[in-house]
């Protein structure tokens, strides 16, 4: 799955580079649709799993921690995860590095739970999903979330006239961040006394994703000139998320 994620992100970036003019015109619809799928999958599958697999109120605190962590990361990334960069004027190489670093940390943390459902299943005996199915659900959330971001990264780098070598190097690094996070998580959570943190990392990642999905949906809706089209995109994404894994 990690290879699919890595290659998929690179392909999304390359396709966006080739068909950038066409993609930009549909950017808002694609982003709104994709985050609506992610939000539906989180509400239907991830949140019930988190609260079923944990004891006490600390899980909710870790979700809030992820929510707040994403706010802090956006001070670095300038909101590129939302589909645009909140920055006025030209961007220096140092500022570009900070933006990319914020985006990469976000992606790395989201990848940590990818390889850790076996550890979760060992510690928590009441999981409502089989390991393979739940792994597939979380993997789908991450890839649906990351593919549009790869396109946005390319659009942003093109807008500031980034050299091709730098642009595609950054794309490859970004594609590697979530798989590296998954490998880090598998090794660090393999340590016995840290094994119970698997559900906590999932809660943190979920909090980050909840922040991004809700901000994009509300921001795009209020800024959209065609609100009916926006509502239909949201409804289509949520419906798709509900239908996935329902049969």
């Amino acid at each position: 799955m990690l290879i699919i994620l890595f290659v998929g992100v690179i392909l999304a970036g390359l396709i966006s580079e080739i068909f950038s003019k066409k993609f930009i015109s549909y950017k808002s619809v694609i982003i709104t649709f994709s985050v609506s799928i992610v939000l539906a999958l989180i509400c239907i599958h991830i949140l019930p799993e988190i609260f079923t697999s944990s004891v006490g109120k600390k899980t909710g605190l870790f979700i809030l921690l992820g929510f707040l962590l994403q706010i802090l990361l956006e001070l670095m990334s300038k909101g590129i995860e939302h589909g645009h960069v909140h920055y006025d004027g030209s961007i220096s190489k140092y500022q570009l590095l900070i933006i990319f670093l914020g985006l990469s940390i976000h992606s790395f943390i989201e990848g940590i739970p990818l390889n850790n459902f076996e550890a979760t299943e060992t510690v928590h005996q009441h999981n409502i999903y089989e390991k393979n199915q739940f792994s597939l659900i979380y993997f789908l959330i991450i890839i649906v979330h990351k593919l549009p971001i790869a396109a946005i990264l390319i659009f942003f780098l093109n807008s500031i006239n980034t050299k091709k070598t730098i642009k595609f190097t950054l794309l490859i690094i970004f594609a590697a961040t979530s798989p590296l996070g998954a490998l880090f998580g598998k090794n660090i959570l393999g340590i016995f006394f840290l094994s119970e943190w698997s559900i906590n990392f999932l809660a943190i990642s979920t909090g980050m994703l909840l922040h991004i999905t809700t901000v994009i949906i509300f921001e795009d809706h209020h800024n959209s000139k065609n609100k009916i089209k926006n509502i239909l995109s949201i409804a289509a994404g949520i419906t798709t998320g509900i239908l996935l894994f329902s049969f």
Side-chain angles (χ1 to χ4, degrees):
M1 281 198 293
L2 298 184
I3 294 175
I4 293 173
L5 179 59
F6 176 74
V7 174
V9 171
I10 292 177
L11 286 177
L14 292 175
I15 293 170
S16 302
E17 173 74 6
I18 296 169
F19 301 103
S20 59
K21 291 183 179 179
K22 290 185 178 180
F23 272 38
I24 288 175
S25 60
Y26 294 102
K27 182 181 75 170
S28 179
V29 173
I30 293 171
I31 292 174
T32 301
F33 177 73
S34 64
V35 298
S36 298
I37 293 175
V38 171
L39 181 61
L41 290 173
I42 287 173
C43 292
I44 294 171
H45 298 285
I46 304 299
L47 288 176
E49 173 68 8
I50 289 174
F51 286 105
T52 302
S53 301
S54 60
V55 179
K57 299 179 181 179
K58 68 175 184 178
T59 300
L61 294 175
F62 280 109
I63 292 174
L64 288 173
L65 176 62
F67 198 93
L68 293 172
L69 179 58
Q70 182 57 37
I71 293 174
L72 293 175
L73 286 174
E74 286 178 12
L75 295 176
M76 299 173 64
S77 68
K78 303 299 179 183
I80 192 173
E81 304 94 330
H82 301 168
H84 49 264
V85 178
H86 299 287
Y87 208 93
D88 295 324
S90 60
I91 295 177
S92 67
K93 290 182 179 179
Y94 172 76
Q95 290 162 337
L96 174 59
L97 177 62
I98 296 299
I99 290 171
F100 184 74
L101 183 61
L103 179 63
S104 297
I105 293 172
H106 160 88
S107 180
F108 182 87
I109 294 173
E110 284 180 343
I112 291 175
L114 274 170
N115 267 346
N116 298 309
F117 299 111
E118 185 172 4
T120 305
E121 198 171 33
T122 302
V123 176
H124 307 287
Q125 299 300 320
H126 304 289
N127 279 12
I128 59 177
Y129 296 105
E130 294 293 332
K131 170 195 159 189
N132 289 340
Q133 185 187 20
F134 190 70
S135 296
L136 182 60
I137 292 168
Y138 187 75
F139 169 76
L140 182 62
I141 286 173
I142 296 303
I143 200 163
V144 168
H145 172 55
K146 282 183 68 74
L147 295 185
I149 295 180
I152 299 306
L153 177 63
I154 292 297
F155 297 154
F156 167 64
L157 294 174
N158 284 339
S159 71
I160 59 173
N161 300 315
T162 307
K163 292 180 180 179
K164 284 192 175 182
T165 51
I166 297 175
K167 178 168 55 180
F168 292 120
T169 299
L170 292 178
L171 176 64
I172 292 170
I173 294 171
F174 174 67
T177 49
S178 284
L180 287 174
L183 295 174
F184 170 80
K186 187 172 185 178
N187 284 286
I188 197 71
L189 296 176
I191 301 172
F192 177 76
F193 65 90
L194 291 175
S195 59
E196 291 194 15
W197 264 81
S198 58
I199 201 69
N200 296 337
F201 276 116
L202 180 60
I204 291 170
S205 176
T206 299
M208 294 171 66
L209 288 166
L210 279 173
H211 176 275
I212 290 172
T213 54
T214 51
V215 166
I216 290 176
I217 287 174
F218 286 112
E219 192 177 62
D220 283 1
H221 178 68
H222 287 295
N223 293 334
S224 176
K225 294 180 181 179
N226 191 339
K227 295 192 182 299
I228 298 299
K229 182 179 179 181
N230 184 258
I231 291 171
L232 289 174
S233 299
I234 295 170
I238 290 175
T239 302
T240 303
I242 292 171
L243 293 176
L244 288 169
F245 305 102
S246 295
F247 302 102

